[in-house]
Amino acid sequence: MTQHLSEPASAPACCDGAADAGSTAASPTAPAGRRTLPLWRRQGGPHGSRSWATCFYRCGNACDKPVPNTTDNEHVQDVITKAIKRRTLLGGAAVGAGAVVLGTAGAAAAADNRWNAGGSTAGAVRGKMVSNDAFAVVPPNKKDALTVPRGYAAVVVAAWGDPVAPGAPRFDVYKQTAEAAAQQFGYNNDYVGVLNITQTKALLVANHEYTNEELMFPPGVYTDEEQRRIAIASHGMSVMAIERRSTSHGNWAPSADRSPYNKRITGETPFAVTGPVAGHERLRTTDDPEGMTILGTLNNCAGGTTPWGTVLSGEENFNQYFGTTGQIPADRATAFARYGISAEGSRGWHLTWDRFDLAKEPNEPNRFGWIVEVDPLWPDAAPVKHTMLGRFKHEGANVYVERNGRVVVYMGDDERGDYLYKFVSAERYDPATTNAARAKNKSLLTKGTLFVARLTGDGTEDGQWDGTGEWIPLASDNRSYVPGWSVADVLIDTRLAADTVSPTKMDRPEDVEPNLVNGRVYVALTNNSNRGTRFPTDEANPVGTSMVRPSLGAPLQPASGNRNGYVLEMEATGSHTGGAFTWRLLLVCGDPEAPETYFAGYPKSRVSPISCPDNVAFDSAGNLWVSTDGNALGSNDGIFRVFVDGPYRGATQQFLTTPLGAEACGPLITHGDRCVWVAVQHPGEGGTFAEPAGLWPHTNRYPRPAVVVTWKV
Ligand code: FEO
Ligand code: CA
Ligand code: CA
């Protein structure tokens, strides 16, 4: 049966780049209350480029609900407001600190970066490394295609349904089973990691964040129960051996032999638990009375590949999988509310599995919301959930090894008004390549200290959007720094513990990743529709009112809130393990014609418009690469190269665009900057299986999420 879903009562803005203000042309008539309609009929309108389907499936309509953080802690927008002196936004001095040699190709790339110039590079091809190639900037578009610069090739490496595990059956969209799905490439790939085995062989690791049932299932073929069982098997992660015929190109493909490395991790795969909370009574359930084995990982969004060759993955909007028709225990109400967990159970999984029923198993939600670690190179090793890294809506986790050997993990909690975190290990990284060293490194995330960030503006007199920050300790493995809180309670109810120490409310922190070339840390803050309403603003604040485009080519229109997001740059004071840092805005995203936008002072006539930064990566020269989710400028999402040092600091160049309905995930730059990877998530969103709105990658009569590699030919 086709699944019908309750419509949200008001315009949800998860994937919050919604282009609503001033736009009524495509606004659907929102019902005042709940009624059953296929929500995918609700296209366009208040969501800008995001459909109702993404909000429902990906984050359980998080933004349609009250902001979970109701504390009085200062919001980053307030901090920025205090720090801002309205400056000349059209151009201005470069703010670069440090220097990366761009070379003539870099100079040509920056000078040639006019998105509306049709991508002419005038023979500017000077090499095959995307770090310094003057590629032809891809202009904004609404194509049902993955568009890359002229001279670049792109191939699908793995798509939903492709066989992964040895012996996996061939995919048939009309004969899907949970057993088959648990062996095939899952749905909605997000994080992409590539671990080299040799120069021509590697392991591809991908997250499968969530499922779009309306796109996956032909109408009338599957019961709701069957859909749920297939869906839980289509979540999780994939590890897949890949290879290429030559080191001179990027034409990667799955290895023919389906190596023993190949495996699927699903919403039902057993995970071991590490750190102070392992075995704690708050993790114990009927099926796991010892609190040591958790079935499955869910809503795995971004992640990070560690120096010891494992992959970290963030369990993000895990709240949506829980519900009940019974009574939620009264003593759980506060914690559940802070995490957006409610009886609603929008996916209905509590109707199939008791463990997702909040009345029957109120501890089960405590077993999700962690950073998980998977070891692709040791396929027999059980994946683990690291409780020492805290429990929240983890976007991802990225590692920096300080000179003293301690490991620092940077993390964001992707919710409007939530916080930035870091973890510092107690033990030191061992760079040896022995199995013993690797095993020891795999335990680094079990002991150390978890911190939350407070940002303070340093005043408006300097004309900079900047300030200082401090890392506030929350708990070590053997000590709580939050008065009245145990270590276990801090780590399980991390949001609530952090609320008590006055950290800074951020605008949906997505990826937080250190740049290994310049040592600074970059944060994608994707958007916040409530800026200027729930969170105070003033006229000087560049993100209090945003200029958006309801459709490609339409005039810019004002919209309330921070609709296009920004990129924050942090610099550790002395050491990444220390308690102090400085910060500044690198980008205030949007259309360069919009007055509030800022590109580190780089001339705005030479940058690509960018909206809703989500995931970040770096090439070997230290250039920042940004993928977007929810473009509020009427265009498809994409991936951008951004110079962060030298005279081109702030130059933003669109490298590719994803197909209709999709967001761009990853990204990843590998193999001497010759390969650019992107995960194309939810292509065709806004349509249904029966009435598709997009068919990318055009291999079937339905769209398929897929991981793509591009390279210069
Ligand atoms: Fe899954 Fe924060 O995006
Ligand atoms: Ca300042
Ligand atoms: Ca994301």
Side-chain angles (χ1 to χ4, degrees):
M1 294 188 298
T2 303
Q3 188 177 22
H4 282 209
L5 305 162
S6 298
E7 277 189 329
S10 60
C14 86
C15 326
D16 207 7
D20 60 0
S23 172
T24 57
S27 295
T29 304
R34 292 166 64 93
R35 63 176 185 172
T36 51
L37 276 178
L39 86 168
W40 45 87
R41 299 287 183 193
R42 308 279 304 279
Q43 297 178 29
H47 283 258
S49 67
R50 280 286 84 85
S51 85
W52 302 100
T54 290
C55 295
F56 181 90
Y57 288 118
R58 192 236 302 273
C59 57
N61 287 329
C63 294
D64 195 31
K65 295 163 183 163
V67 173
N69 189 347
T70 57
T71 67
D72 294 328
N73 292 331
E74 196 167 31
H75 194 278
V76 69
Q77 302 290 7
D78 306 330
V79 176
I80 292 168
T81 300
K82 291 176 184 173
I84 289 170
K85 181 178 183 180
R86 186 77 177 186
R87 53 189 290 163
T88 302
L89 290 168
L90 296 170
V95 191
V100 168
V101 177
L102 297 176
T104 54
D112 198 45
N113 184 31
R114 294 178 298 275
W115 65 268
N116 55 359
S120 168
T121 53
V125 174
R126 287 173 171 83
K128 293 193 174 185
M129 297 168 66
V130 292
S131 50
N132 64 9
D133 183 25
F135 59 77
V137 171
V138 174
N141 65 75
K142 289 295 286 183
K143 298 176 181 174
D144 191 26
L146 188 124
T147 306
V148 296
R150 201 166 51 240
Y152 280 79
V155 297
V156 168
V157 181
W160 169 49
D162 283 352
V164 174
R170 192 167 175 273
F171 183 69
D172 183 336
V173 78
Y174 291 96
K175 296 179 181 176
Q176 299 180 61
T177 66
E179 293 71 24
Q183 303 172 69
Q184 296 161 336
F185 202 70
Y187 208 77
N188 273 346
N189 32 223
D190 195 302
Y191 180 73
V192 175
V194 174
L195 298 168
N196 287 328
I197 305 294
T198 69
Q199 277 296 303
T200 57
K201 293 181 184 293
L203 298 181
L204 171 70
V205 183
N207 284 353
H208 302 294
E209 186 175 7
Y210 67 103
T211 47
N212 284 83
E213 279 76 349
E214 87 286 10
L215 294 173
M216 294 171 65
F217 298 117
V221 177
Y222 302 97
T223 65
D224 289 352
E225 174 85 5
E226 288 169 334
Q227 290 188 26
R228 290 182 202 120
R229 293 188 181 280
I230 294 166
I232 199 171
S234 303
H235 280 66
M237 302 172 73
S238 287
V239 179
M240 178 187 265
I242 56 174
E243 59 190 36
R244 55 180 177 171
R245 265 178 263 137
S246 151
T247 58
S248 65
H249 62 70
N251 197 356
W252 292 88
S255 296
D257 61 1
R258 306 238 195 115
S259 89
Y261 292 112
N262 283 23
K263 68 175 176 183
R264 276 299 319 285
I265 291 168
T266 75
E268 299 187 293
T269 301
F271 277 69
V273 188
T274 79
V277 182
H280 192 275
E281 61 181 0
R282 295 190 60 193
L283 259 58
R284 297 176 194 160
T285 63
T286 303
D287 291 339
D288 178 26
E290 297 185 344
M292 294 297 291
T293 306
I294 298 172
L295 293 186
T297 187
L298 293 172
N299 216 263
N300 299 73
C301 192
T305 299
T306 67
W308 49 94
T310 61
V311 172
L312 305 177
S313 170
E315 297 183 330
E316 197 185 32
N317 294 295
F318 65 93
N319 55 307
Q320 64 180 287
Y321 301 98
F322 297 91
T324 187
T325 54
Q327 202 66 31
I328 291 178
D331 63 347
R332 309 300 171 105
T334 300
F336 282 2
R338 187 65 180 84
Y339 284 85
I341 298 165
S342 72
E344 178 187 2
S346 53
R347 283 182 173 268
W349 284 18
H350 58 287
L351 304 174
T352 294
W353 296 277
D354 279 353
R355 69 185 177 112
F356 294 115
D357 189 314
L358 296 166
K360 294 175 179 170
E361 294 291 348
N363 279 349
E364 188 72 10
N366 294 341
R367 295 147 66 88
F368 293 84
W370 303 104
I371 289 293
V372 305
E373 184 172 14
V374 171
D375 189 345
L377 299 173
W378 292 356
D380 294 333
V384 300
K385 299 200 179 195
H386 286 304
T387 64
M388 190 62 240
L389 300 183
R391 175 173 164 269
F392 42 91
K393 291 187 179 179
H394 278 285
E395 171 76 14
N398 282 279
V399 171
Y400 187 90
V401 180
E402 191 44 277
R403 274 171 292 191
N404 63 13
R406 294 197 198 281
V407 162
V408 183
V409 184
Y410 288 97
M411 301 172 286
D413 183 351
D414 181 7
E415 186 94 58
R416 292 170 300 169
D418 263 292
Y419 309 132
L420 289 171
Y421 295 86
K422 80 168 180 181
F423 161 82
V424 179
S425 69
E427 305 294 333
R428 296 169 200 273
Y429 173 67
D430 186 342
T433 55
T434 62
N435 283 349
R438 191 160 186 272
K440 180 188 163 201
N441 290 334
K442 285 175 63 176
S443 70
L444 285 171
L445 307 188
T446 64
K447 289 183 179 177
T449 305
L450 181 67
F451 299 82
V452 67
R454 181 188 298 149
L455 283 71
T456 305
D458 69 359
T460 59
E461 294 75 16
D462 62 0
Q464 300 291 318
W465 305 343
D466 65 350
T468 58
E470 59 188 305
W471 289 108
I472 306 163
L474 294 173
S476 298
D477 46 286
N478 55 7
R479 177 184 173 189
S480 168
Y481 298 95
V482 181
W485 287 68
S486 69
V487 169
D489 286 344
V490 169
L491 297 179
I492 293 172
D493 292 329
T494 305
R495 282 182 167 184
L496 289 142
D499 287 344
T500 69
V501 299
S502 303
T504 303
K505 295 179 180 176
M506 310 297 287
D507 281 355
R508 296 187 53 201
E510 303 258 20
D511 267 0
V512 186
E513 188 156 340
N515 181 336
L516 301 184
V517 173
N518 66 17
R520 300 194 287 269
V521 177
Y522 293 80
V523 185
L525 295 152
T526 202
N527 53 44
N528 185 345
S529 56
N530 286 342
R531 175 61 175 162
T533 50
R534 194 164 300 157
F535 302 111
T537 184
D538 61 46
E539 64 198 69
N541 195 315
V543 289
T545 300
S546 311
M547 298 300 285
V548 301
R549 290 188 199 278
S551 61
L552 187 61
L556 286 170
Q557 297 183 358
S560 64
N562 167 17
R563 300 294 175 152
N564 294 299
Y566 39 80
V567 176
L568 179 78
E569 186 178 57
M570 304 164 73
E571 190 158 3
T573 303
S575 165
H576 285 262
T577 62
F581 61 93
T582 57
W583 62 269
R584 63 191 76 84
L585 290 187
L586 175 74
L587 302 177
V588 175
C589 299
D591 191 293
E593 293 179 12
E596 74 275 11
T597 56
Y598 171 67
F599 296 82
Y602 192 75
K604 297 201 327 183
S605 62
R606 296 183 178 180
V607 305
S608 294
I610 180 171
S611 177
C612 301
D614 187 345
N615 301 129
V616 304
F618 302 93
D619 60 37
S620 65
N623 299 315
L624 174 68
W625 291 71
V626 181
S627 66
T628 69
D629 171 17
N631 191 316
L633 300 173
S635 170
N636 288 351
D637 280 312
I639 289 180
F640 299 76
R641 177 176 65 180
V642 185
F643 292 100
V644 296
D645 283 299
Y648 307 102
R649 175 179 160 87
T652 303
Q653 305 172 306
Q654 185 152 253
F655 177 76
L656 64 77
T657 52
T658 44
L660 277 181
E663 78 177 79
C665 301
L668 182 68
I669 319 298
T670 66
H671 296 89
D673 299 337
R674 285 172 168 77
C675 300
V676 179
W677 303 76
V678 55
V680 178
Q681 191 183 87
H682 56 75
E685 172 200 86
T688 65
F689 188 92
E691 298 179 57
L695 291 172
W696 187 89
H698 304 285
T699 53
N700 303 83
R701 292 175 178 271
Y702 47 89
R704 299 169 75 194
V707 173
V708 170
V709 65
T710 78
W711 73 99
K712 192 168 188 64
V713 293

